[in-house]
Amino acid sequence: MSEEFEADTMNSLADMPFATIDIKDDCGIPDVPQRNLEKNKENERISKEQIKKRKKKRKDYQPNYFLSIPITNKEITRGIKILQNAIIEQDEQLAKAMISEGSFHLTLLVMQLLNEGEVHNGIDALWELKPFVEEILQGKDLTLPFEGVDTFGNQVGFVKLVEGDHVRLLLQIAEAAKRTFQEKGILAGESRSFKPHLTFMKLSKVPWLRKKGVKKIDPEFYEKFISHRFGEEVVHRIDLCSMLKKKQSNGYYHCESSIVIGKKPIGILDLLNEALRRERMRLKSKVKQIKELLLKPETQAKIRRELLEGRSLNSSDQGSDVDFSTALT
C-alpha cells in the first residue's frame, strides 16, 4: 500500500504547474543540442510562458514581509518619543501619524511571501544569510549612530543614520540579503536604491488629514532636532517580520524567525526557541501537503477502494480453514 501511495503522490506532483518545466532552460543553464526537434520547440514554448509568468509576478509584486533590525537602545527610543511629542504639541492631529515605540526599526529588505511554504522558504533564506553577514562583519560589532531629522518629500519623517564605514557594511549586508532571498526564488527588493533610515512618522497613516489641509510635515515642527544626537544602536539581531499579521504585545511586528549577529552571547533559551520555531514551521508545511494530497478525489477513491478490498479479504479469511500464519510464511 505504501508503494502505491507513493506512486499516487508522484502522479499528483506530475499535475503541478512546474512539472513540465525544463530545469536547464528555467535556470539559464546552456542546453545541449537535441536531436528531437519537437522537444526543442516545446522547450522554447515553455520558456516563453515562464518569462510571461515572471513578468506577471513582478507586475503583481506587493511586499508583505521585510527584514528588520529592531531598535532596542532606550536612549534612542526615548529621544524619538520626545521628538514625536514636540511635533504633536504643535499639531495634535499628527498624533496618529506617529510610529509606536515598540515598532522602531531599520528595514534591510522587503519581499513577498504568499503562503506558509513561501514563509518557510524565507526562513531558510534568512538562515543562509547568517554566514554572509558574519563574513562581512569579520567578528566585529556593527554600531549604528543616529543624529538629526529629515523627511522623504515631507511625507515620511525619519531619524538620520550618520555617515561612516558602518553605512558601507550595512549596504553590503542589504545586498547580500537581496541576493540570498532572490536565489531562493523569492520576489524581493525595490526599484529605488537602499537608503537606511529610522522612520518615526508617516502621513500615509492618516490620509483623512489631507481633507483638513494637512498635506505635508512642516519642517518647523522638528527644526530643534535637526542636529540632535539620538544615540547608537549595536546590531545584534535581524528579524523576518510580517507587515500584515497582528503585532506583538510590545508593539513590535510579528516575527517569523531571527538570526543573532555580532558579539552578543546567545542564551540556551534563544537557541531552543529558534529550533522549536523552525521545526514547527516544517511540521505545518508537511501537514498542509498531506491534507492537500488527501483532498484529491483520486486519493480518496484509492483509499476507499483499498478499505473495501481489505474488508472483503477479512470476510473470506473468516470463512476459510486455511492457517493464515502458515500462508504468510
Side-chain angles (χ1 to χ4, degrees), residues 52-108:
K52 288 181 180 178
K53 286 181 180 179
R54 289 193 194 102
K55 288 181 178 179
K56 186 178 186 301
K57 280 185 178 180
R58 179 56 63 176
K59 185 179 180 181
D60 298 336
Y61 177 51
Q62 184 64 47
N64 59 342
Y65 276 82
F66 65 102
L67 290 185
S68 165
I69 295 177
I71 302 300
T72 58
N73 186 342
K74 295 297 181 183
E75 180 187 359
I76 297 176
T77 57
R78 186 164 51 247
I80 294 176
K81 287 301 294 181
I82 294 171
L83 164 63
Q84 290 176 326
N85 290 334
I87 294 174
I88 293 171
E89 285 179 5
Q90 297 173 76
D91 191 340
E92 294 181 356
Q93 298 179 104
L94 295 174
K96 291 187 177 181
M98 300 300 170
I99 304 298
S100 60
E101 181 177 348
S103 299
F104 295 147
H105 69 282
L106 252 66
T107 299
L108 268 181

Side-chain angles (χ1 to χ4, degrees), residues 12 287-301 303-304:
S12 299
V287 169
K288 185 179 179 183
Q289 290 174 14
I290 293 171
K291 284 182 177 179
E292 290 176 349
L293 182 60
L294 291 175
L295 288 173
K296 290 181 176 293
E298 58 269 28
T299 304
Q300 294 178 2
I303 292 172
R304 280 194 293 269

